[in-house]
Amino acid sequence: MATVMATVGPMAVGVAAKSQFSNRFSMTSSRMNSELGFITSQLSGIKISTTHFQTNSSCPISAPVKPSLQPVARRICPFTGKKSNRANKVSHSNHRTKKLQFVNLQYKRIWWETGKRYVKLRLSTKALKTIEKNGLDAVAKKAGIDLAKK
C-alpha cells in the first residue's frame, strides 16, 4: 500500500499505511525465526525459545493463574447457614428503601477437644450458643465441616 493524500480545501491530509516491502520483510523474518525455534515478541523484541514447547505437546503451555488477592469472606455463617436479611428502612414520611440486615459474625478461637488445639472460626453468635450447648464436634458434624483442615 502506498501513502494516500487527500486535499480538503486549503488543507492537505495525509494517511500513511504499511508498504509492501515491510510486510514481505516481516513475513520472511518470522518464517526464519520459526524455523530456528524462536519467537520474537513484537512489543519488546525479546526472543523466546519454542523448542521446549514443541517437544512436550501433551503438556499445557500455560499454568493456572492464582489470584494475588485473598477472596472476600462471605457474610454467611458456615455452621447455621444464616445469611443477611432483606428489609425495608422506613422513614418518618413512611418512605421505604431496601436495606440489608447482616448476620452478627464474630471471629472466635474455640478449643477443639478431639484435636487438642484451638480452632479459629468465623461464626454467628447463634452458632456460638449452639456450640456451647451441644459441643463443637456435634455442630461441625451436622453442618458438614471438617475441622482438621482449619
Side-chain angles (χ1 to χ4, degrees):
M1 295 181 149
T3 305
V4 178
M5 294 291 288
T7 57
V8 180
M11 202 169 154
V13 179
V15 178
K18 282 187 176 180
S19 66
Q20 291 177 353
F21 173 74
S22 65
N23 284 341
R24 285 185 194 150
F25 178 73
S26 65
M27 286 173 58
T28 55
S29 66
S30 66
R31 219 180 290 134
M32 286 174 35
N33 285 338
S34 65
E35 290 172 1
L36 295 174
F38 289 99
I39 299 173
T40 305
S41 171
Q42 293 180 353
L43 298 175
S44 62
I46 299 172
K47 289 188 175 182
I48 305 165
S49 174
T50 59
T51 55
H52 175 69
F53 298 123
Q54 290 172 352
T55 57
N56 297 334
S57 60
S58 63
C59 297
I61 293 175
S62 63
V65 178
K66 293 182 180 177
S68 60
L69 299 174
Q70 291 288 338
V72 177
R74 297 177 65 199
R75 291 183 171 132
I76 295 177
C77 177
F79 289 95
T80 59
K82 284 181 168 282
K83 45 186 164 179
S84 53
N85 182 36
R86 197 93 193 237
N88 284 320
K89 185 165 73 172
V90 182
S91 68
H92 178 69
S93 64
N94 211 22
H95 181 74
R96 293 157 197 257
T97 55
K98 297 286 184 186
K99 73 171 190 172
L100 287 176
Q101 296 171 340
F102 295 117
V103 181
N104 188 6
L105 291 175
Q106 305 293 323
Y107 284 100
K108 189 76 176 164
R109 257 183 27 157
I110 300 174
W111 178 254
W112 181 31
E113 191 61 41
T114 310
K116 302 289 187 216
R117 65 181 175 99
Y118 281 100
V119 181
K120 189 174 182 182
L121 301 170
R122 186 178 191 221
L123 43 89
S124 64
T125 51
K126 176 71 176 176
L128 191 58
K129 287 174 70 175
T130 308
I131 289 171
E132 287 175 2
K133 181 180 177 184
N134 300 333
L136 182 60
D137 284 324
V139 176
K141 185 177 179 182
K142 185 176 180 183
I145 297 172
D146 186 17
L147 294 171
K149 293 179 184 176
K150 296 188 182 213

